Amino acid sequence: MFALKRVLSAVPQSTSLCVSHFSACHCLKTSRKSSPYSSVDSERYSSLVKSVMSSRVSSQTPETLQAEDDHIYGPVVKAQTPTRPEVREPKTLHPFLNCEETVDTEEPESGLPARISLNRGQGRSFVPSVTRILQQTLSPEQIFYLERWKRRMIAELGEEGFKEHSQNLFRQGKLLHSALEDILTSGAAWKDRDPSETPEYPPEVRGYLESISHVLEDVSAVRAIESTVQHGTLNYLGIVDCVARYRGVLCVIDWKTSDKPKPFLSNTYDNPVQVAAYAGALNNDGNYKYQVENGLIVVAYKDGSPAHAHQLSSEVMLEYWKTWLLRLEEFTEKRASHASSTLPENR
């Protein structure tokens, strides 16, 4: 007890010691220091702060964060909802198939393939061709890319070099079609041919023939080769490369050559429209007693790499048939407009 009194006497008066059941915990209480702000009129200071925070620094100080962003970065331009391109439909949806003819694709083929030559003297002198119609109805985008390619080729080859290059491509195409005509009218299937008896074809087309050799193995029952087709109602004509079965399906076949790989149908540009136009004309031409619903575009390569074969089902052909009707309408309107503008004025 005496010791406890000594401890208590040693503790300064400004502090206190709390003892409970001989368990000592000291709670030191120090004297509070006076704050330098204690003498400030808090109510008046609070009013001053509120007035500063609520007032604008200058006339250019934005009132809100949105106004500040607009001041720094400009007003927000809201993106417009993208509009889908308008789907055009032909004014008159002429039938792709001839209702009077039956689609009898199982009819056995016999005899030589048809080859109807183009004779412009038999009322065909003013009938436009499929190729001409497509060339004169190119879209601005197609014209742009075509001109850009032409300028690039001229820059690389020169004017004369480009002209020679174009002539060579045309000549190689004719040689390839001639070789294919010989092969497909020989009567023997390509896969059953005897290599020792295969005639020597010009060097310019050997690579192309090697390229399409795997396609020729699936071609059979040839019905037409380089044959003219004409649509009497729509007044246009064309020359189909081939009508035959490919893997058992009767198709209008179009042979194409290319320096660049074309693995997708979209790489063939207007070729599907051309095939649909040929098939539609054939289906409405009285010289052909059958109907064709499918198409095939074969892209051959000079280096002998495997050709790309793009099959067009009957559904796809119908879509390209609509595109062809639109192009044909555009051509007809342009020709009518040109004819009316060249007529002599009535005096």
Side-chain angles (χ1 to χ4, degrees):
M1 187 69 179
F2 176 77
L4 179 59
K5 288 182 178 181
R6 291 186 62 183
V7 170
L8 291 175
S9 63
V11 176
Q13 294 183 359
S14 60
T15 63
S16 64
L17 182 65
C18 301
V19 179
S20 176
H21 303 289
F22 298 100
S23 174
C25 64
H26 66 279
C27 302
L28 299 178
K29 296 183 179 179
T30 59
S31 59
R32 294 179 61 185
K33 296 181 180 180
S34 59
S35 171
Y37 298 102
S38 59
S39 60
V40 176
D41 186 344
S42 60
E43 185 176 351
R44 184 178 179 184
Y45 180 75
S46 177
S47 300
L48 176 62
V49 171
K50 289 180 179 180
S51 66
V52 171
M53 295 299 292
S54 62
S55 64
R56 299 169 64 187
V57 177
S58 71
S59 61
Q60 295 183 350
T61 303
E63 295 182 354
T64 63
L65 290 176
Q66 180 65 50
E68 183 179 353
D69 285 347
D70 291 348
H71 179 71
I72 297 174
Y73 304 108
V76 177
V77 179
K78 295 183 179 180
Q80 296 181 351
T81 304
T83 57
R84 294 183 178 180
E86 181 183 357
V87 179
R88 295 175 57 203
E89 291 288 339
K91 295 177 182 177
T92 304
L93 187 57
H94 293 273
F96 177 63
L97 297 172
N98 187 350
C99 300
E100 297 179 0
E101 295 284 347
T102 57
V103 184
D104 188 8
T105 57
E106 298 302 322
E107 176 190 349
E109 295 84 0
S110 60
L112 294 175
R115 179 169 181 171
I116 301 175
S117 301
L118 175 61
N119 189 343
R120 282 289 184 181
Q122 296 179 350
R124 293 173 172 170
S125 56
F126 297 104
V127 180
S129 67
V130 172
T131 303
R132 180 185 174 191
I133 293 169
L134 291 176
Q135 286 176 345
Q136 295 192 12
T137 56
L138 292 173
S139 68
E141 183 181 9
Q142 288 175 311
I143 295 173
F144 169 78
Y145 285 114
L146 186 61
E147 287 297 322
R148 189 177 69 172
W149 170 81
K150 184 178 178 180
R151 288 194 301 268
R152 186 171 65 246
M153 292 297 292
I154 291 176
E156 181 180 343
L157 304 175
E159 288 280 357
E160 290 300 321
F162 176 70
K163 186 182 296 184
E164 183 179 352
H165 174 74
S166 301
Q167 291 173 349
N168 287 336
L169 289 179
F170 181 75
R171 184 168 55 86
Q172 290 172 13
K174 289 193 67 175
L175 289 173
L176 176 61
H177 280 71
S178 178
L180 287 171
E181 180 182 352
D182 181 65
I183 292 169
L184 296 173
T185 56
S186 63
W190 178 260
K191 58 185 177 182
D192 299 330
R193 76 189 188 286
D194 185 352
S196 62
E197 297 180 0
T198 302
E200 284 290 328
Y201 295 107
E204 296 93 332
V205 299
R206 291 174 189 169
Y208 292 124
L209 290 176
E210 180 183 352
S211 176
I212 63 176
S213 59
H214 70 287
V215 178
L216 291 174
E217 292 178 357
D218 293 320
V219 175
S220 62
V222 182
R223 288 196 174 190
I225 290 279
E226 299 290 330
S227 191
T228 301
V229 293
Q230 182 171 351
H231 199 301
T233 304
L234 297 178
N235 194 39
Y236 74 87
L237 55 77
I239 300 177
V240 295
D241 289 347
C242 179
V243 179
R245 293 187 183 277
Y246 176 71
R247 297 180 178 176
V249 179
L250 190 63
C251 301
V252 168
I253 303 176
D254 205 39
W255 312 104
K256 298 295 182 184
T257 60
S258 176
D259 295 329
K260 293 182 179 180
K262 294 186 176 181
F264 305 107
L265 184 62
S266 58
N267 300 138
T268 62
Y269 306 109
D270 278 342
N271 294 155
V273 184
Q274 183 180 24
V275 171
Y278 288 155
L282 183 148
N283 291 335
N284 289 273
D285 191 326
N287 292 310
Y288 304 90
K289 303 303 180 183
Y290 53 88
Q291 303 279 279
V292 184
E293 297 183 272
N294 300 271
L296 179 69
I297 298 171
V298 183
V299 185
Y301 306 109
K302 190 174 183 178
D303 62 0
S305 56
H308 285 107
H310 302 288
Q311 288 184 270
L312 307 177
S313 66
S314 56
E315 293 81 8
V316 174
M317 288 282 276
L318 283 175
E319 291 303 314
Y320 282 111
W321 172 248
K322 292 179 183 178
T323 304
W324 164 250
L325 292 177
L326 287 170
R327 299 283 287 271
L328 184 60
E329 286 177 0
E330 182 182 348
F331 174 81
T332 304
E333 291 170 1
K334 284 184 176 180
R335 188 165 64 167
S337 176
H338 176 73
S340 61
S341 64
T342 56
L343 288 174
E345 296 184 359
N346 294 327
R347 297 183 181 275

